[in-house]
Every structure is written in C-alpha cells, then in structure tokens.
Amino acid sequence: MDDALRQLIWRRAGDTCEYCRLPQQLDILPFQLDHIIAIKHHGPTSAENLALSCYNDNAHKGPNIAGIDPATGALTRLFHPRQDAWKEHFAWDGPELVGRTPIGRTTIDVLNVNLPERAEHRRLLFQAGVLRPG
Ligand SMILES: [Zn+2]
C-alpha cells in the first residue's frame, strides 16, 4: 500500500476510528487500515474498501464481513463505512454504543465495541470532556 493511499484514509477519517469513533490521539494502540471486505473475500486494497480502525475493532473484526444479530439471530452483514451512514446504525447510551439497526447491533457484537474496559475508557474520556459522543 502506498503512502498516498494510507494518508488519504487517515485524513478522510479525521484520525478517528470509523467504527467506534475513538480518535487515535486518545488511544494507546496504533490504529490500522481495515479492509472493509477482507482480502480473503477478494476485497481490494483501494480507497473505497479501506477504513481507519482502532486496534481493538480491527482485531475483533478480523476477516468477518457478517455476523449474527444478537437480537434476532439473523445472519447480518457488518457496517460498511464507505456505504452506510454511521448515525443511521449507531447511537451512544453513555459510554455504551447501541445498535439502531440489525447492522449496528451485529457490528457492535462482532467488534466487541462494548467490552467493559473499552466502555470504561470512553466513560473516562467523556467525563474528562476530551471526547464527545457523536
Ligand atoms: Zn474503534
């Protein structure tokens, strides 16, 4: 991957995770470039198929492109940062991210966005006023 493409992804995302909206400067682990459709599923290394992801989200997402909606048990695709509107699928309930749609619920579940230590990290950042839900 060339530097220009890498820089485009970081700039487009505003140095913020496109799944959980955590800025890189407020996280300890280096963010990664996520293949939204994983290479193993023939996703290209292109601006349209790359998203900036925090380490935790990318590590849990792995090559997944779908999961099971925890509310219905239905096979559901994951959130696609290039094609889906974040606010349509997600909302904050304090430091917990809530899925507003099957895609939102499934993505939160597969990416483990609400692991207790991750929610506690966000709670502290919200409380300190350095991160705002949204
Ligand atoms: Zn994230």
Side-chain angles (χ1 to χ4, degrees):
M1 187 182 315
D2 65 45
D3 281 349
L5 181 57
R6 188 179 307 275
Q7 287 170 14
L8 181 147
I9 306 307
W10 277 85
R11 191 172 51 248
R12 182 177 64 193
D15 298 350
T16 296
C17 176
E18 297 189 64
Y19 294 100
C20 75
R21 295 271 173 109
L22 184 67
Q24 170 67 89
Q25 63 266 32
L26 297 178
D27 201 7
I28 199 165
L29 296 169
F31 282 13
Q32 301 176 329
L33 297 189
D34 166 53
H35 281 79
I36 300 165
I37 304 299
I39 293 170
K40 79 177 294 178
H41 300 298
H42 311 291
T45 300
S46 66
E48 286 307 302
N49 191 47
L50 289 169
L52 187 64
S53 175
C54 69
Y55 179 85
N56 277 303
D57 281 338
N58 202 33
H60 288 108
K61 181 172 177 277
N64 290 302
I65 57 176
I68 303 296
D69 180 348
T72 67
L75 179 63
T76 305
R77 73 172 175 87
L78 298 182
F79 175 72
H80 191 302
R82 300 279 72 75
Q83 297 173 6
D84 299 323
W86 194 90
K87 288 187 173 177
E88 182 182 324
H89 297 284
F90 303 106
W92 291 106
D93 180 10
E96 301 275 331
L97 193 60
V98 176
R100 304 177 71 179
T101 63
I103 288 170
R105 289 191 300 266
T106 302
T107 302
I108 290 166
D109 189 56
V110 172
L111 276 55
N112 275 328
V113 176
N114 290 323
L115 280 177
E117 62 270 27
R118 298 184 69 193
E120 177 63 7
H121 182 213
R122 287 191 295 266
R123 188 187 69 74
L124 291 170
L125 294 172
F126 290 153
Q127 187 178 51
V130 294
L131 182 64
R132 290 194 172 161

